[in-house]
Amino acid sequence: DEQALSYGIIRDTHISDISFDFGAQYLYNLNQKHRLTFGAVFSPKAALNGDLKELKARGISFDESSGSFNQQYAIDTIYYKNEDFNDNQLQIPLSYGAGVAYQYDNRIMLTADVQLSQWTKVNMPGYALSTDANSRVSLENSSRITFGAEYTPDDRISTNYLSRLKYRLGAYQFRDYISYNGKKTDETAFSVGIGFPMKRDKSSVNLSFVWGKQGS
């Protein structure tokens, strides 16, 4: 029925703030060809400033692509609010991580990293976590574990371009911070890649392929 009323909800959220990440790195030379690199990162918990505009309305025509009612038809506003985020209503979590890399003669590099984020200890606006009576979005602590390997045949042979290519393998597992009705959208992925060095400087063009699975 073209004359039937359509119902819609429009939410516009604007977030603007400054946060800080901290990091440290230490290089330890075992000998002339072997060395280790240790790293650590830290992001403090922080509150963000922003505002939310929410409109619930009905009208004759609702454009799904633009997410708004066609302005040439009458709109009946059912509910409208405009509020600012304050008093720690919207937060980002405390995160910390560490990593280590082993390098042999500028030819072989092995790396491992882990990062944790405390999402269960942050505040979120109520609308962000509630859907309906039968569905619920909740926050879980997240983690990410990453492994990588890189092999360069010999980057000192400038006349043999193939020997200067960087061949890479990687893998990671990410435990997501969002749970929907008790189900999480965790990720597991593997990657392969090649780094193509530029001839006249230390820059390179990097190409990678990633295969993985998210959720169930």
Side-chain angles (χ1 to χ4, degrees):
D1 184 357
E2 295 181 355
Q3 300 303 315
L5 295 179
S6 297
Y7 289 79
I9 300 175
I10 303 172
R11 291 191 183 102
D12 286 328
T13 304
H14 300 269
I15 300 171
S16 178
D17 214 316
I18 297 176
S19 63
F20 295 92
D21 299 330
F22 302 92
Q25 193 174 74
Y26 175 72
L27 177 63
Y28 179 70
N29 290 315
L30 298 173
N31 53 45
Q32 188 174 1
K33 290 187 176 182
H34 302 266
R35 67 180 182 181
L36 293 172
T37 303
F38 302 93
V41 293
F42 173 75
S43 300
K45 181 180 178 180
L48 302 179
N49 292 319
D51 63 84
L52 165 69
K53 294 182 177 64
E54 184 177 49
L55 169 68
K56 296 181 181 180
R58 60 186 176 186
I60 297 177
S61 177
F62 185 81
D63 187 356
E64 296 288 350
S65 61
S66 64
S68 62
F69 284 98
N70 193 323
Q71 297 299 317
Q72 63 179 307
Y73 297 102
I75 297 177
D76 180 15
T77 298
I78 301 174
Y79 174 79
Y80 177 78
K81 73 174 179 180
N82 184 358
E83 65 180 14
D84 296 327
F85 295 130
N86 49 41
D87 298 328
N88 295 323
Q89 289 177 306
L90 178 62
Q91 299 174 323
I92 54 176
L94 181 148
S95 300
Y96 52 92
V100 61
Y102 164 75
Q103 189 171 11
Y104 169 72
D105 197 28
N106 291 326
R107 297 174 62 186
I108 298 175
M109 179 181 290
L110 304 175
T111 67
D113 293 275
V114 60
Q115 188 167 8
L116 307 173
S117 299
Q118 297 181 345
W119 283 96
T120 58
K121 297 183 179 180
V122 303
N123 295 328
M124 284 283 175
Y127 81 88
L129 301 180
S130 299
T131 52
D132 55 48
N134 298 319
S135 302
R136 181 70 181 178
V137 176
S138 60
L139 298 178
E140 308 283 346
N141 290 335
S142 67
S143 63
R144 183 183 182 95
I145 302 175
T146 307
F147 301 96
E150 180 183 271
Y151 172 66
T152 306
D154 195 339
D155 63 351
R156 291 166 292 193
I157 303 178
S158 59
T159 57
N160 189 342
Y161 184 76
L162 294 179
S163 296
R164 297 168 54 218
L165 296 181
K166 298 182 182 294
Y167 302 92
R168 300 176 178 129
L169 293 174
Y172 75 86
Q173 183 180 46
F174 173 61
R175 293 188 62 84
D176 199 2
Y177 62 92
I178 293 177
S179 175
Y180 181 75
N181 283 349
K183 298 180 180 180
K184 301 181 67 176
T185 55
D186 296 343
E187 296 181 41
T188 301
F190 302 90
S191 64
V192 295
I194 300 179
F196 299 91
M198 308 298 288
K199 291 185 177 181
R200 296 186 178 181
D201 55 37
K202 295 183 178 181
S203 301
S204 63
V205 176
N206 299 297
L207 178 66
S208 63
F209 299 89
V210 180
W211 176 88
K213 179 180 179 180
Q214 182 180 28
S216 57

